[in-house]
Amino acid sequence: MMANPLFDSLWGIHSGKNTPFLRLTNQEVISHGKFLEVSTQVANALVQYGLVAGDRIAIQVTKSPEALALFAACVQAGIVFVPLNTAYTVEELAYFIEDSGARLIVCDEANEFELAKLAKTLGSRVVTLNADGSGTLLDVARTLPAISMTIERSPDDLAALLYTSGTTGRSKGAMLTHNNLLSNAKTLAREWRFTKTDVLLHALPIFHLHGLFVAINVMLISGGSIVFLPKFDLEQIIDELPNVSSIMGVPTFYTRLLHDERLTRDLTKHIRLFVSGSAPLLLETFVNFEVRTGHRILERYGMTETNMNTSNPYDGERRAGTVGLPLPGVEVKITKPNSNTTITTGEIGQIEVRGPNVFKGYWQMPEKTAAEFRDDGFFITGDLGRIDEDGYVHIIGRSRDLIISGGYNIYPKEIECVLDSQPSVMESAVIGVPDVDLGETVVGLIVPKKGKTPNIEEIKSALAKTLAKFKHPRKIRIIDELPRNAMGKVQKNILRNTYKESFLNSEKI
Ligand code: MCA
Ligand code: AMP
C-alpha cells in the first residue's frame, strides 16, 4: 500500500522524469521531474517553518508554477491547502485566515505588511511568494535538499479547505479529502480520455476547484502537459489553440472566443476536447460553437463541495442544455423540495449527490454539515434540476440566492450587508441579471432612508474597502420600495424581471 496515494498518483509517478509538464508564456518548459524537485524543496521549507501534518496554510498569490508547487508540497507534507481568491480584500482575508486557523500565510510581497499585522493578532506567520517565484518562501526552499519527505496520509485525511460563501452568515470551508481529489481525478481522466500525449490550455485561476483540481490533477494523473497562461487573455488563447489538444473553461471563455472572427474550424482542428463548467452554458453558445468549429463542447457539472458530479459523454451524445450523466461511482437523485422523497418522473426537484467525490463536511460547522447531508450520505446541493428519460441531468435553477458571474459565485447577502450599512440606505436588494459576457452580472437596488439621497460614490468606496472587485454591483439604482410577498420576503424574481431589460443598455455606475 502506498503511503500517500494522492501524492504518489499525481506527482510520485513522475519522479526523475524529463517529460514536459508546464510550458510558460516565455516558452520556458518545466519538466515533471524538475517540478517535483522544487515542490519537494518547498515541502521541506514548510517543515522547517514548523508546520506538521493537518496544519492549514492560507495562500493568496498570483498564478505561477511556484504557486502550483506549493500545492504539491502541501499534499506531500500532509498540510491542508487553503487557496484564496487574489481579488479578496484584507477584510475578507481576515475571516478566512482566522476561521481556518492557518499557521502560515503565503502572500505577495505587496500585501506582506497588511497581512503581517493580521498574522500577529492571530498567532500565525507570513512568508512571501511573488508572481515571478521570488520571495521568502523560495529563498528558504532553494537552500534545502530535494529529498522526499512524503508524509503518510489516509484517504480520509484533509487535502484542502475551499471556502464557499454562505447564503446567510459566514463563509464555509469545504473539507476536501485526499480521496475526494484522487477519485475524481482518476474518473475524469478516464472519462475524458486524457493520456500523456494531451496538451491542455490552462487559463483558469488556480484558487478554485475548477482550475486547480479538475484541470491540473487530470493532467498530472494522465501524464500530459499544460500550456500555463497567467489568466484568460483572448490573444494568447487564439495564439495557442493550434498547439494544444484540449481546453477547460467557464462559459465566458467560449462566448469571448465566439466574438472573435479568428475562431474557425481550421484554428481548432488539432483540438480533441473543449470542456465547459462552473456556470450554465447557453444553448446558443453550444450551437454557435459547433457551427463555427465543428466541436460540440462537453459540459459537466460540479461544485466546490462535491468536485465533479456529472458529465456529458466523451463518445456518446453531448446533449445541449444538459450537464450529462452521473459520473461512474457518483449517484445523483432528484428529491421533492424540503423533503427526502425521491422524484422518478422527470419532474424538477432538488439535486442530491453521493459518492467518493463528495466532501467531508464544513470546517468546524457540524450543524451546517448535518443540515446539508442526509443520514444516508446524500448531499443536498442547493441546485434545482431534473433527470430526463435517458438519464441526462438538466440544471434548472438554484434554491440558493446565488449569482454566478464569469464562473465566480457571488452571494447577494454579502453585498446587501454592505449596502444596508450605509447611513443613507434603508434597505437594499442585490440581484443577478443576464449578461452576454459573464452570464450574469450584479445589480444593486437601493431604497433610501426617508429624506436622504444616497451618495453613490461613497457607497462605491465602502464596497471597495470591504469586498473583492468582482462582487461589486456593475450598476446601482435607487428605487422607492422593494416588492415583498405576504410573508414580508423580498420577491427577487419580480426584481430580476423588472430590471433585466432596463439594465442591459444602461450606464455602468
Ligand atoms: C474579473 N472581473 C469580474 C470577473 N472577473 N467581474 C465579475 N465577474 C467576474 N468573473 C472584474 C475585475 O475585478 C476587473 O474589474 C475586470 O473584471 C477585469 O478583470 P480581469 O481579470 O481582466 O477579468 P477578465 O479577464 O475579464 O476575467 C473574466 C474571466 C475570469 C476570464 C471570466 O473571471 C475567470 O477566469 N473566471 C473563472 C472563474 C473560475 O475559475 N470559476 C470556477 C469556480 P475592473 O476592471 O473594474 O478593475 S469552481 C466551480 O464553480 C465549481 C467547482 C465548478 O463546477 O467548476
Ligand atoms: P461553486 O460553489 O463555486 O463550487 O459553484 C458550484 C455551482 O456552480 C453549482 O452548485 C451550480 O449552481 C453551478 N454550476 C457548476 N457547473 C455548472 C453547469 N455546468 N451548469 C450550471 N451550473 C453549474
Side-chain angles (χ1 to χ4, degrees), residues 36 67 74 125 186 191 221 412 436 449 467:
L36 181 58
C74 285
R125 170 179 186 171
K186 280 183 178 165
E191 289 299 299
I221 212 155
V436 280
K449 280 186 181 150
L467 298 176

Side-chain angles (χ1 to χ4, degrees), residues 60 84-90 92-93 207 408 467-470:
Q60 192 199 37
L84 298 164
N85 193 318
T86 46
Y88 285 151
T89 62
V90 172
E92 288 168 308
L93 292 177
F207 46 72
Y408 285 154
L467 298 176
K469 191 76 190 275
F470 68 88

Side-chain angles (χ1 to χ4, degrees), residues 278-280 299-300 302-304 323 383 395 398 400 404 409:
S278 307
E299 186 174 8
R300 56 51 172 191
M303 246 184 122
T304 298
V323 292
D383 290 314
I395 297 181
R398 303 165 202 135
R400 299 162 286 161
I404 305 186
N409 286 7

Side-chain angles (χ1 to χ4, degrees), residues 284-398:
E284 183 191 324
T285 311
F286 181 91
V287 171
N288 290 342
F289 203 83
E290 186 174 13
V291 170
R292 286 272 290 283
T293 66
H295 290 279
R296 289 171 80 82
I297 298 171
L298 182 150
E299 186 174 8
R300 56 51 172 191
Y301 159 57
M303 246 184 122
T304 298
E305 286 93 332
T306 66
N307 296 277
M308 299 303 103
N309 298 310
T310 72
S311 170
N312 271 281
Y314 186 81
D315 289 321
E317 185 199 353
R318 296 183 195 164
R319 196 169 283 187
T322 83
V323 292
L325 307 158
L327 286 163
V330 181
E331 294 168 86
V332 179
K333 68 175 180 177
I334 308 291
T335 54
K336 281 195 178 152
N338 307 316
S339 94
N340 195 0
T341 315
T342 305
I343 300 175
T344 52
T345 51
E347 285 160 68
I348 297 169
Q350 315 177 107
I351 302 179
E352 301 192 15
V353 297
R354 181 168 71 177
N357 54 315
V358 177
F359 76 136
K360 197 171 171 174
Y362 294 112
W363 175 251
Q364 292 179 334
M365 289 187 175
E367 289 87 11
K368 283 214 156 70
T369 303
E372 295 185 29
F373 273 99
R374 304 279 182 204
D375 292 343
D376 60 6
F378 271 93
F379 172 65
I380 308 163
T381 61
D383 290 314
L384 300 175
R386 66 181 183 86
I387 302 180
D388 69 23
E389 59 287 359
D390 298 319
Y392 284 76
V393 178
H394 300 236
I395 297 181
I396 308 293
R398 303 165 202 135

Side-chain angles (χ1 to χ4, degrees), residues 228-272:
F228 199 60
L229 303 183
K231 59 184 290 234
F232 183 92
D233 177 294
L234 190 63
E235 293 306 313
Q236 285 178 341
I237 301 270
I238 299 269
D239 276 357
E240 293 288 0
L241 280 177
N243 308 323
V244 300
S245 66
S246 56
I247 178 163
M248 295 185 198
V250 295
T252 301
F253 282 23
Y254 298 110
T255 47
R256 286 189 183 175
L257 278 167
L258 278 166
H259 275 108
D260 195 296
E261 60 189 21
R262 289 170 293 176
L263 179 80
T264 59
R265 263 169 204 264
D266 196 47
L267 187 78
T268 59
K269 68 181 178 213
H270 297 298
I271 301 201
R272 66 166 189 89

